[in-house]
Amino acid sequence: MLKETRSQESQMTVQNGGLHSHVNIPKIKFTKLFINGEFVDAVSGKTFETIDPRTGEAVASIAQGDKEDVDKAVKAAREAFDNGPWPRLPGSERRRIMLRFADLMEQNAEEIAALETIDAGKLYFWTKKLEIPSAAETIRYFAGAADKIHGSTLKMSREMQGYTLREPIGVVGLIIPWNFPTQMFVTKVGPALAAGCTMIVKPAEQTPLSALYYAHLAKEAGIPDGVLNVVTGYGHSAGAAITSHMDIDKVSFTGSTEVGRLVMQAAATSNLKPVSLELGGKSPFIVFDDVDVDKMAELALLGTVYNKGEICVAGSRVFIQEGIYDKFLAKLVEKAKAWVVGDPFDPNVSQGPQVDKKQFEKILSYIELGKKEGATLLTGGKPIGTKGYYVEPTIFADVADDMTIAKEEIFGPVMSVMKFKTMEEVIKRANCTKYGLAAGIMTNDLNIANTVSRSLQAGIIWINCYFVFDKDMPFGGYKMSGFGRDLGMESLNQYLQVKSIAMPIYQSPWL
Ligand code: ADP
């Protein structure tokens, strides 16, 4: 799909001198915390600035929530859970309200897409046409589940019978990252709402705008006050206050492996709340000799540079079988050079700016490290322009498995290419990582596809495709990429707990 937006004579330059003029950038309406159905200032009165990565300039001052604000939000969510209507509504009523919420998301896609573009540097047209409608579909998927939450009937012994109930787990903390603010929001909020939970959402400090907009739409859709609260602020303060809160019953977190560890520690030392963690990755993209080189080189590039490489499932360790290695590499370089980087409002652009200065500098420092450790830089490697946080699509060849760029998550448009001989060898090398989030296998040989997919330690495997997500397909990690699953019916269970109930079949004389 990205191909469609690519300009024919394109080059790796910042288009239009950096800023596109044809899209009306909306006024930012929501900048305060959303607690108990109202937009309110932080208790401290503090704010922080959210930056437009196209320019590095501030676009809005956002309320800086902290522990006191999280306490207020939890109080509202607790009251809404213990005494409010949401968990007690028939599932069909929750469904009806959630469907309205999804419709409102779609109706406002244009405005929200613009917010995502100035906040996260996301491609405007892609976000408007694909991401937001797909996010609305995710809400609809979970809306459809709201009246199909079942327990089971247990036969037990001759005298007793039992059944299980699935009940909402309570007040949940949903901590989301900056790379997919909309998708992450619906992935967690959707099942939590369907289950009948109440919640505190903490968007990343880099990208608070869409979550606040969704809070406003949730109210308009009829989600009762206190059910969905949004506390914007920093991870070490607002985020940490959520993970260590004694009155939050579960935390679902998506972010880095380091912070995932802190989330688990905080849960362990507070009220032992269950956590689900979707963390980092360093996914292998494996290409066997028998593929269509041109087509798969296109996919391999996309596997690394989609969303500027700011995606936890990026297939940035590209293993190419020796028979096509040189040909494949040449195609990769050709395609990377034609990849258009520039203002994400421009429909001819395929890659916008990195989310912020910190991420931009981190990526450039990994590129320097790649060079220093002896990998061969084939293309890219430099920032683009003098304004904003643009980085060239970058390809390193001759990457050894133990180089830093082959081991650590870069979260940028940087590919590490490696050569392999046999299937057995590549399985071993692909699994030789602390992560286990995703993997791609490109081959037309069914036996290879089946053997490799069963041998790889990763939560999602794509055969002859990449980045295929579906609301019905569970997503999550093996190893240090985390545990628990987002999306799919399995994710609903993370917001439910099972109660077992037993009773005699007849009144026994001994009871
Ligand atoms: P990244 O490294 O991709 O920026 P992080 O893991 O730092 O991702 O951030 C993901 C989310 O976790 C953000 O919403 C961030 O504010 C939050 N966060 C960061 N530190 C903490 C923490 N100590 N406790 C809870 N949440 C945190």
Side-chain angles (χ1 to χ4, degrees), residues 175-178 202-206 233-241 243 253-260 262-263 358-359 362 411:
I175 301 178
I176 58 182
W178 45 260
K202 200 207 83 63
E205 49 272 40
Q206 295 86 344
Y234 292 107
H236 59 81
S237 51
T243 56
F253 169 82
T254 298
S256 60
T257 295
E258 305 81 73
V259 175
L262 296 177
V263 170
K358 187 172 154 218
Q359 190 58 23
K362 184 177 150 200
F411 235 62

Side-chain angles (χ1 to χ4, degrees), residues 170-342:
V171 175
V172 297
L174 310 175
I175 301 178
I176 58 182
W178 45 260
N179 59 338
F180 284 89
T182 286
Q183 292 296 343
M184 290 296 126
F185 184 91
V186 295
T187 294
K188 296 186 190 303
V189 165
L193 284 175
C197 292
T198 62
M199 62 211 74
I200 294 95
V201 182
K202 200 207 83 63
E205 49 272 40
Q206 295 86 344
T207 56
L209 299 180
S210 57
L212 294 173
Y213 200 101
Y214 291 134
H216 151 74
L217 296 184
K219 177 151 178 142
E220 201 176 321
I223 293 175
D225 293 351
V227 172
L228 195 162
N229 305 277
V230 177
V231 175
T232 49
Y234 292 107
H236 59 81
S237 51
I242 289 174
T243 56
S244 60
H245 207 287
M246 291 299 286
D247 215 13
I248 289 184
D249 302 305
K250 183 222 155 58
V251 164
S252 176
F253 169 82
T254 298
S256 60
T257 295
E258 305 81 73
V259 175
R261 207 188 282 279
L262 296 177
V263 170
M264 237 177 135
Q265 272 165 2
T269 51
S270 56
N271 59 344
L272 288 175
K273 59 179 77 61
V275 296
S276 45
L277 306 175
E278 197 265 278
L279 308 175
K282 190 75 186 176
S283 301
F285 186 106
I286 305 170
V287 190
F288 286 88
D289 277 346
D290 64 343
V291 300
D292 175 331
V293 169
D294 188 69
K295 208 166 121 195
M296 286 308 170
E298 178 92 27
L299 190 61
L301 180 69
L302 191 68
T304 291
V305 303
Y306 172 58
N307 203 48
K308 331 146 220 174
E310 293 172 348
I311 179 161
C312 50
V313 289
S316 58
R317 280 194 298 148
V318 177
F319 291 93
I320 308 172
Q321 203 163 18
E322 59 182 1
I324 54 164
Y325 183 81
D326 292 336
K327 215 160 108 192
F328 200 94
L329 213 51
K331 275 281 173 207
L332 268 177
V333 171
E334 180 191 314
K335 287 173 189 294
K337 284 186 168 155
W339 193 251
V340 187
V341 183

